[in-house]
Amino acid sequence: MNCNIEITPGLYYVGANDYRTQKFEALWTLPHGVSYNSYLMVDEKVALIDTIEAKYTETFLTNIRNILGSRGIDYLIINHMEPDHSASIAAVRRAYPDVQIVGNPKTIDMINGFYGICHNMLVVKEGDTLHLGEKDLTFYPIPMVHWPETMATYCPQEKILFSGDAFGCFGALVGGVIDEDICCDIYWDEMYRYYASIVGKYGVPVQNALKKLAPLPIDIICTTHGPVWKKYTKKVIDIYDRLSRHESEKGVVIVYGSMYGNTARMAEEIAQAIGSQGIDKVVLYDISTVDKSVVLRDIFRYNSLIIGSATYNTGLFPDIEALLSALRNREVKSKVYGCFGSFSWAGRAVKELTAFGNDMHWTMPGAPVEMRQGFSDAIIGQCRELAKSIAAELKKC
Ligand code: FEO
């Protein structure tokens, strides 16, 4: 995207879309691309809020020049230092040598560490305000959403929150940048997937940020990824609130790793049995073929999780082991949990899956099912019993 869009009088979008990167952070797929958002506030003074990914620096500088012409930038405000937002800081400083860089002490330290820039900096703390003319910008550190220096910037005259990654989502901006001007259908799933992948570990800091920002009247949220939220401001705050409290919908994720189809067959049997118990939201994933961020997304979305694994080299199926690590890392809470698996000559996976559920302090209403070698009527019966126990527990929720 090479366009300038006025969001409110004097506030312009100067970011860019990325359809080229296959995996965000080299980890998370981008089927709908991603946007790196930056905003230019033009008043008696000019403030640029965040920069963008290095691949798009030239587009970014062109967007800025198209608005400012020969005019300079007074302030560059840095809400977040992850390189998808900070990588163009040095280029902005080269193009606008007099720009003063604004950040909290942690930000200023990181700018020096990443880019060797340490002069003409303005250090701000909570509640400090920059007067641009008719508009002000006030700063609110929101640490660990999802880096230590993360900060939000608020314009009280326009009731606009520049939130950094908070309230962001995957998905490039098509046909405009403000939610009310574009079709937002793709962004809701992409918000869950973004949250689960990027921010999911930091539920408590997100809750702290929401509490800190709650007294501010907010009409518009200018996040660093995804649409400018104007029509759906309340909805996106609610989604982040629910996700960061690990509040989920009634539904079951079944995910398994299977080498020769035996554990897969157990998964199908359990899914079928849960459906027959009247639970209509059941999703089933083969971990070896599915996008891992989709699995994480649905684990954050639904309140029940059933994991299956073949025993592999006397341990877990490797992709399942990686999933457990991701869930442990994100301290995922409050699941109705079950597990199952199969082995040929050394049962191990089901023991490890059971221990995992206990370690996570999840509710485990049914007996784990462990299959040795081939399928049998007895195993079918145990799969159905596990499904029945899970469904009964969900009906209490
Ligand atoms: Fe979009 Fe935390 O960077």
Side-chain angles (χ1 to χ4, degrees), residues 80-153:
H80 182 24
M81 275 301 294
E82 197 162 8
D84 53 331
H85 309 295
S86 69
S88 300
I89 291 176
V92 170
R93 184 45 94 54
R94 280 194 297 276
Y96 298 93
D98 297 330
V99 67
Q100 189 168 36
I101 299 176
V102 181
N104 62 53
K106 289 192 178 88
T107 310
I108 299 299
D109 182 56
M110 285 188 183
I111 293 173
N112 193 15
F114 272 106
Y115 307 111
I117 296 171
C118 57
H119 68 282
N120 198 13
M121 316 294 260
L122 178 62
V123 182
V124 293
K125 60 182 185 319
E126 172 129 8
D128 282 357
T129 296
L130 267 186
H131 303 290
L132 300 183
E134 291 184 5
K135 291 166 198 159
D136 299 329
L137 294 173
T138 304
F139 306 105
Y140 296 90
I142 47 170
M144 296 316 301
V145 181
H146 59 131
W147 275 30
E149 84 301 352
T150 44
M151 184 170 87
T153 296

Side-chain angles (χ1 to χ4, degrees), residues 180-199:
E180 63 188 8
D181 298 335
I182 59 181
C183 174
C184 288
D185 292 353
I186 64 159
Y187 299 116
W188 308 120
D189 265 4
E190 287 295 74
M191 181 171 282
Y192 275 81
R193 200 168 66 86
Y194 177 85
Y195 183 92
S197 305
I198 309 296
V199 190

